[in-house]
Amino acid sequence: MHHWTPYCGQAPIPTEWAAHWNLAPELLIGLILLSGAAYLYRDRFAMPPAVCAIALIAFIFVSPFCALGSALFTVRIVHDLLLAVVLAPLAVAAFRLDRKDIPGSLTVWTIIHAFTFWLWHAPVLYAEAMSSDLAFWAMQVSITGTAAIWWAKVIRAPAPSATTALLATMVAMGALGALLTFSGSALYAPHWMTTQAWGLSPLEDQHIAGIIMWAPASLIYLLAAMVILYRSLGARLPA
């Protein structure tokens, strides 16, 4: 049997998971350096979103939430969604990426971001990310990075184009969620032996993750599209 060694540590059991903090020196040093850089160059950043982004990074990678993702695929999906729909927009706001000219069209980055998210949730690559620190961080950086550029493009785009991109991404995320929900077999080997302590079979865990992808996650993109349409229509109405 393969011995999985996730970056966040071995899968904890319910009575112990709250004590599983990830205190990897390189991670803590990175957070300290990131915080210091944000403070020293605070005139170049939007500080409130930068502080929120650093706090979210600490929650995702340092707190017991990180280890919980080693046990439950559902938590891993929440983890990855936090990267795409919370951390990435915070990075856009902190670095003011929406004011920068980034090569590539919105359509291209919509495809790249959706493809990146799907690719890392292919069972083989997901398993690699759960057993290799290098693959794990490649996953984190690529999901967050492509999402940040995509959100920056969405913000800059005219309302019709932005709405189309949001709805296309909603469909892509919903399709992945539906695939996970209706699959008749557990696809993710790293969780085949870790969910039982939590009262779930691997397939039940996967189905819950799929529902989260299919409903709440898709709703985020739908709400963003509705906000953009509402503002666009409001701007066109006579005072």
Side-chain angles (χ1 to χ4, degrees), residues 9-157:
Q10 294 299 317
I13 59 176
T15 56
E16 298 178 356
W17 78 273
H20 282 245
W21 292 76
N22 180 20
L23 302 178
E26 70 279 2
L27 178 60
L28 298 180
I29 291 171
L31 280 171
I32 292 170
L33 292 176
L34 187 60
S35 300
Y39 178 76
L40 290 173
Y41 299 100
R42 55 190 178 278
D43 56 324
R44 301 182 186 180
F45 299 107
M47 285 304 293
V51 171
C52 290
I54 293 170
L56 181 59
I57 291 170
F59 171 74
I60 291 175
F61 297 109
V62 178
S63 82
F65 177 82
C66 188
L68 192 57
S70 298
L72 299 172
F73 181 63
T74 296
V75 176
R76 286 290 314 161
I77 283 293
V78 173
H79 171 125
D80 295 339
L81 289 172
L82 286 173
L83 297 179
V85 302
V86 183
L87 182 58
L90 286 173
V92 172
F95 290 101
R96 301 183 176 95
L97 295 180
D98 54 307
R99 302 181 187 178
K100 302 183 184 300
D101 291 322
I102 302 173
S105 67
L106 175 57
T107 299
V108 167
W109 280 105
T110 299
I111 294 170
I112 290 173
H113 174 50
F115 177 76
T116 300
F117 202 94
W118 266 76
L119 189 67
W120 281 113
H121 292 88
V124 172
L125 281 182
Y126 179 86
E128 181 64 21
M130 291 293 283
S131 58
S132 163
D133 290 355
L134 180 61
F136 174 83
W137 284 110
M139 180 186 194
Q140 312 310 301
V141 171
S142 59
I143 289 176
T144 307
T146 59
I149 295 173
W150 177 78
W151 281 109
K153 292 286 186 180
V154 167
I155 293 170
R156 289 180 59 131

